[in-house]
Structure formats: structure tokens, C-alpha cells
Amino acid sequence: MYFNAADPKKCLAPDAFVKLDVPDTQFGTWKTWERGGPPNLAVEIVSPNEDAEKDWSDKLARYFECGVAEVVRFDPAAPEGARLRVWDRIDDDLVERVVTLDRTACMTLNLGWVVAPISEEPVGLRLMGANGELVETARESETRAREAAEARVRELEEELR
């Protein structure tokens, strides 16, 4: 993601981002001046090979400069209660919010962030609805649909017997 047309070194590569009110399309590079501005939300997942704090202070400064409204940082290797950090743009500053028990609101999506198991991983960054239920991943949704279809087939086979 490039955010300064005069300086191609001014870039970021979030693990995920959301730009509201923009059609979902394939793109090679996100240039903020061509795509209607910076993302509303950026998600960074800490890799084991990162120099976490040095790299992070540089990235956070670039997110500030870029204009992202909500920045999420997830560190699966951090101790429980310290794995999820979130910054909000308030009065033209990125201010870290208080996160309790590895869960907090996702203001951009009107959902919540929570650290919970995902697929075979014991710790993952998940979204949850207002009711506290986890938002299904594509794999979870496919599994649930397949299991429901198999159950229906068993029902119909039983009726036929």
C-alpha cells in the first residue's frame, strides 16, 4: 500500500485492511491517491522473525502518516492479555486503546476483536458479533454446510427405509 505519490519508499504491507465504500475488486497495488484514500482499518500480525518493537514503532509512524483510522496489532506469541493491541485515530493522532482480556471492539466493522482458536491454531485473531458469537471463517462455514447436508441425506435415507 503506497500513500505518498512523491516517495515510493513510503509504503506499508498490512496483513489485512478494509476500505469502506469501495467495491471489492482484485488489485495489484493499493495507491491511496488512486483508490479514494487510506484504508479505514489495517491489521498487522506479528511474525516470529520480526524485531517486534523497533519494527512496530516504524510501522505505527507510517500508519499515522498514511491516515488509517483503526490499526490492530496481533502477536500470537505474546502473553495472554497482551496479544491484542489497537490504536484509534483521535484528534489527528493514533491513540492506543485499552484492551481487556484479549478482546475489544472493532469500530470500523461494528464487530469485536477476540483472541480465540482458529482452525488448528490454538490462538488466532477472530471477529465476533454483538451477540458474542465468533464470525465464521470460510472453512468453518463450508464445514457447517457440508455437515448439515450430510445430516439431511441421513434423514432422507432413514425416511426411505
Side-chain angles (χ1 to χ4, degrees):
M1 172 179 60
Y2 294 92
F3 55 92
N4 184 332
D7 186 354
K9 291 181 182 178
K10 299 274 185 159
C11 62
L12 287 158
D15 292 292
F17 69 86
V18 174
K19 174 69 175 158
L20 299 175
D21 303 322
V22 172
D24 187 14
T25 59
Q26 295 288 327
F27 60 90
T29 304
W30 188 273
K31 295 177 181 175
T32 60
W33 59 93
E34 292 177 354
R35 301 275 184 173
N40 301 87
L41 166 69
V43 177
E44 287 281 345
I45 300 173
V46 177
S47 301
N49 61 348
E50 287 183 57
D51 179 358
E53 289 314 308
K54 180 194 179 306
D55 289 349
W56 181 245
S57 63
D58 293 344
K59 282 183 184 178
L60 190 59
R62 283 182 278 152
Y63 280 117
F64 170 77
E65 185 179 351
C66 177
V68 175
E70 184 176 12
V71 179
V72 176
R73 182 176 189 256
F74 172 60
D75 184 350
E80 188 172 340
R83 298 178 287 204
L84 179 59
R85 296 175 69 189
V86 180
W87 288 259
D88 298 297
R89 186 166 294 275
I90 299 172
D91 295 330
D92 201 35
D93 195 7
L94 279 178
V95 178
E96 188 168 7
R97 117 173 33 145
V98 174
V99 174
T100 307
L101 301 173
D102 281 338
R103 59 176 52 209
T104 190
C106 176
M107 305 305 228
T108 302
L109 301 175
N110 201 25
L111 294 168
W113 293 110
V114 62
V115 176
I118 186 167
S119 298
E120 291 79 39
E121 297 297 324
V123 176
L125 181 61
R126 303 287 305 260
L127 286 167
M128 66 179 173
N131 58 5
E133 290 186 21
L134 294 176
V135 174
E136 286 185 326
T137 65
R139 182 182 294 168
E140 290 168 336
S141 182
E142 290 167 6
T143 299
R144 187 177 48 76
R146 185 184 69 251
E147 288 171 352
E150 289 169 354
R152 181 66 178 139
V153 167
R154 285 190 299 277
E155 262 179 44
L156 293 171
E157 286 173 341
E158 189 61 34
E159 282 181 28
L160 286 172
R161 283 182 231 181

